[in-house]
Amino acid sequence: MATRNKAFTTNSAVIALAIFAAIPVAYGADMDPIYVEEPVTTPVEFGSGWYLRGDLGYSSHGPFDTSGTSGDNLDVYPVNASVAVGYTFSDHLRGEVEFGYLGSSSFDDTGSSICDGTSTFTPIVGPVVSGPATIACEGRDHGDNEMWNGLVNGYVDLGNYGGFTPYIGGGIGLVLSSYNGAGDDRECEDSTTSDATGTTVFTCDSDQEGETIDDSRLGFLWSVAAGFGYQITENTTVDVGYRYLSSPNATQLVNLPDGIGEEEGMSVHQIRVGLRYAIW
């Protein structure tokens, strides 16, 4: 009887060990393998989407009002230029900040002005009598103008067609008008004439100084633009465009028939050619 119990005990121990050995195997078979992902470092592209732009242009019908300025020498320099920093938000939307030079003009008008003075006429025989009360004396009107602009621009690119990307856009900002000049600054001089019956002496007013203007002003500026870009390298695009600029209170110096004066309002048509360089 003791032998039978011993055999039973031995068999029970073997069965128990087999069950415990099978449990981890079965449990491990039911579990999915555990994977530990290594952290992935994504490099940050400094400057991606940013670009630089520079262009030169020709101005037509402005920004200076030559119709209101008279003068012997009237010069207008129609070349404009600008630089900008921009960012490409998507395939169709760009924005930029621009600083530009709109051009310059000058006038120089030499003429004559009526100066007050005194004169007497002394005949050979008889009392002294009064002569003319005025005389024309030479003088000069002159002035110089320059204009600069700062704009925040937005552009919509309308898709790529055979390498060409047309766009439309516009901007708002400020225009800086800088001007100086003087008018009616007549250099009056003494004039003496003689004839057979006496002498007339005329003295021009030596203090006949005209108005002098030297000023700079800021005004509101807006623009609309259209053009196209053509990519010539991976980072470089040729930009050709038209732009209209207008300001209701840009100020310039003009030469009018009665002297120099300030005139407000400006508009200009520009044709521009430049480059955009993408910073990657």
Side-chain angles (χ1 to χ4, degrees), residues 39-60:
V40 178
T41 303
T42 303
V44 177
E45 295 185 6
F46 176 78
S48 179
W50 292 91
Y51 66 87
L52 301 176
R53 176 180 62 78
D55 58 42
L56 291 174
Y58 176 81
S59 299
S60 175

Side-chain angles (χ1 to χ4, degrees), residues 84-166:
V85 177
Y87 185 78
T88 303
F89 297 98
S90 68
D91 291 340
H92 299 286
L93 184 61
R94 293 182 287 117
E96 63 181 34
V97 177
E98 173 194 323
F99 177 74
Y101 175 70
L102 296 178
S104 64
S105 72
S106 64
F107 58 86
D108 194 333
D109 183 22
T110 54
S112 61
S113 180
I114 302 301
C115 294
D116 294 331
T118 59
S119 66
T120 59
F121 180 71
T122 306
I124 301 299
V125 178
V128 175
V129 296
S130 297
T134 59
I135 192 173
C137 296
E138 290 186 356
R140 175 172 173 249
D141 294 338
H142 60 92
D144 296 283
N145 293 287
E146 281 189 332
M147 286 190 185
W148 305 78
N149 73 272
L151 285 166
V152 177
N153 300 316
Y155 299 98
V156 177
D157 293 323
L158 303 177
N160 189 285
Y161 304 91
F164 292 89
T165 304

Side-chain angles (χ1 to χ4, degrees), residues 57-59 62-66 74-81 100-107 143-148 176-180 251-253 266 268 270:
Y58 176 81
S59 299
F64 304 102
D65 183 13
T66 57
L74 175 60
D75 296 313
V76 178
Y77 302 94
V79 175
N80 59 78
Y101 175 70
L102 296 178
S104 64
S105 72
S106 64
F107 58 86
D144 296 283
N145 293 287
E146 281 189 332
M147 286 190 185
W148 305 78
L176 173 64
S177 308
S178 178
Y179 50 93
N180 65 83
T251 307
Q252 59 185 294
L253 200 63
M266 178 275 285
V268 58
Q270 295 179 335

